[in-house]
Amino acid sequence: MEFLLSIRLPAGTHFAVAIALIFHVAGGINQYYWIYAPYYDKVAHCISGFALGLVIFSSLLYLGMRGVRLSPFHIVAGIILLVFSFGVVWEICELTIDALTGSTYNLGAEDTFFDMLGNTLGSLLAAAYALHIMNSVAPGKQVFSILGKTK
């Protein structure tokens, strides 16, 4: 995203995405998803919701750079709603994979509920962080100035 759009992502975005990826890979390699289930999976959903929320925040700021007018309220609401939507799609994908392959990615309605709760908690944390960053913009500057141009 940074390379293609010549921008700098908000502080913490790289770290959040890296932690989410490492957490998921470690869960598969060391069997944490199965040994510590269902807790490990819920933490993974929370971390991923936060990371995805920051990527969505960056995307919404980029739209602001391109002339789309979004208030801080719209940005925060967008983060929460889009992370929730991605979570719903992910849960549908888990059910589909299970139906096609006989795997056990989805363990039922309770599993889906707590996965979505983890996603929502992560999105709320991302929205709070985004609001904090937006409130730190100097008076008179546009909120999308958070994304620094690299060229």
Side-chain angles (χ1 to χ4, degrees), residues 11-86:
T13 304
H14 292 111
F15 184 72
V17 170
I19 292 298
L21 291 172
I22 289 168
F23 203 82
H24 281 82
V25 170
I29 292 172
N30 293 324
Q31 305 295 309
Y32 293 149
Y33 279 117
W34 296 271
I35 297 169
Y36 301 113
Y39 309 107
Y40 189 92
D41 182 49
K42 305 321 170 216
V43 174
H45 275 270
C46 185
I47 292 169
S48 295
F50 180 75
L52 179 59
L54 291 186
V55 170
I56 290 168
F57 174 50
S58 301
S59 300
L60 294 173
L61 289 176
Y62 183 75
L63 289 175
M65 286 178 88
R66 305 297 293 168
V68 177
R69 298 178 64 100
L70 295 170
S71 69
F73 171 80
H74 289 113
I75 291 172
V76 166
I79 291 168
I80 295 166
L81 291 173
L82 287 170
V83 169
F84 187 84
S85 298
F86 275 94

Side-chain angles (χ1 to χ4, degrees), residues 49-134:
F50 180 75
L52 179 59
L54 291 186
V55 170
I56 290 168
F57 174 50
S58 301
S59 300
L60 294 173
L61 289 176
Y62 183 75
L63 289 175
M65 286 178 88
R66 305 297 293 168
V68 177
R69 298 178 64 100
L70 295 170
S71 69
F73 171 80
H74 289 113
I75 291 172
V76 166
I79 291 168
I80 295 166
L81 291 173
L82 287 170
V83 169
F84 187 84
S85 298
F86 275 94
V88 168
V89 170
W90 180 252
E91 292 302 314
I92 291 169
C93 289
E94 281 185 355
L95 287 168
T96 303
I97 292 167
D98 286 353
L100 294 174
T101 66
S103 60
T104 57
Y105 287 107
N106 187 291
L107 303 175
E110 185 177 338
D111 178 61
T112 298
F113 174 79
F114 285 107
D115 285 353
M116 291 304 297
L117 189 63
N119 295 338
T120 302
L121 178 59
S123 74
L124 291 173
L125 293 170
Y129 183 65
L131 193 57
H132 169 73
I133 291 174
M134 289 187 289

